[in-house]
Amino acid sequence: HGVHGFNVTIAHRLAQYGLGRALLDAVSMKQGLALTDFLAGWRIRLQDVLRNDPEGWLGQKYGKLTNLINEPFPNHNILQYYANPLITFSTQSSTSDSPISGPSSFPHPLKSYQPCIEALAAFCMQHFSWRDEGLVAKMRSTIWEGACLQLLCGVSRTSR
């Protein structure tokens, strides 16, 4: 559920303003009222960028889109899914032994797959304009630890 009228080009150009990084940082560090307060200011900043394009990265002004940025955007739950995605290895059922249990458990087995780091890096370079040292630093701080842990957990016990 995005905002009608936005597309990949606008989103990519908005990323140059650092709004996405600020949003991810806030979702990772703030909760409850502190997050709600941050989002109010973040929406104002987003509206200002759309209305004025102060650095010229959008290439034009999107005044009409500012009217679509209101209180329920962005959805807190969706932000949490992006900032803290559910990652699991495998579950066979929703039992107390399962890594995932409780009323919102998944009814189907889940499998874990190792991400293709090279393809992910190429995607980030193309769509987020991440380059060289910045790419390595961002991958190291966001991807590598989880990918290595997942790889290690996939090693068979009989291979010792």
Side-chain angles (χ1 to χ4, degrees):
H1 301 269
V3 176
H4 184 70
F6 277 81
N7 59 38
V8 174
T9 301
I10 296 170
H12 180 261
R13 291 176 181 173
L14 276 172
Q16 303 302 310
Y17 283 98
L19 291 162
R21 177 86 259 170
L23 185 59
L24 181 60
D25 289 346
V27 171
S28 299
M29 295 184 290
K30 299 177 186 298
Q31 297 178 23
L33 188 55
L35 180 59
T36 300
D37 289 345
F38 169 84
L39 290 175
W42 183 87
R43 280 190 297 275
I44 291 168
R45 172 73 176 134
L46 175 58
Q47 290 169 332
D48 178 61
V49 166
L50 289 168
R51 187 178 302 112
N52 300 307
D53 191 18
E55 303 295 327
W57 288 324
L58 294 175
Q60 71 180 67
K61 297 176 182 178
Y62 291 93
K64 289 184 180 180
L65 290 180
T66 63
N67 298 330
L68 303 174
I69 307 299
N70 51 39
E71 178 66 38
F73 178 81
N75 180 292
H76 286 227
N77 291 332
I78 293 173
L79 286 175
Q80 288 300 325
Y81 293 143
Y82 276 110
N84 303 300
L86 175 64
I87 297 179
T88 185
F89 294 96
S90 178
T91 68
Q92 295 304 317
S93 65
S94 297
T95 66
S96 59
D97 297 348
S98 172
I100 302 173
S101 61
S104 63
S105 299
F106 290 104
H108 306 289
L110 299 174
K111 286 194 168 191
S112 175
Y113 296 94
Q114 190 67 21
C116 177
I117 302 294
E118 183 179 349
L120 187 58
F123 178 87
C124 292
M125 289 174 73
Q126 179 181 356
H127 295 286
F128 304 135
S129 301
W130 292 2
R131 298 285 181 255
D132 304 323
E133 296 301 317
L135 173 69
V136 172
K138 289 174 182 173
M139 295 290 278
R140 193 173 283 148
S141 69
T142 58
I143 303 296
W144 289 354
E145 182 178 329
C148 290
L149 180 60
Q150 187 173 11
L151 185 62
L152 288 171
C153 289
V155 174
S156 170
R157 292 181 192 265
T158 59
S159 65
R160 289 187 218 179

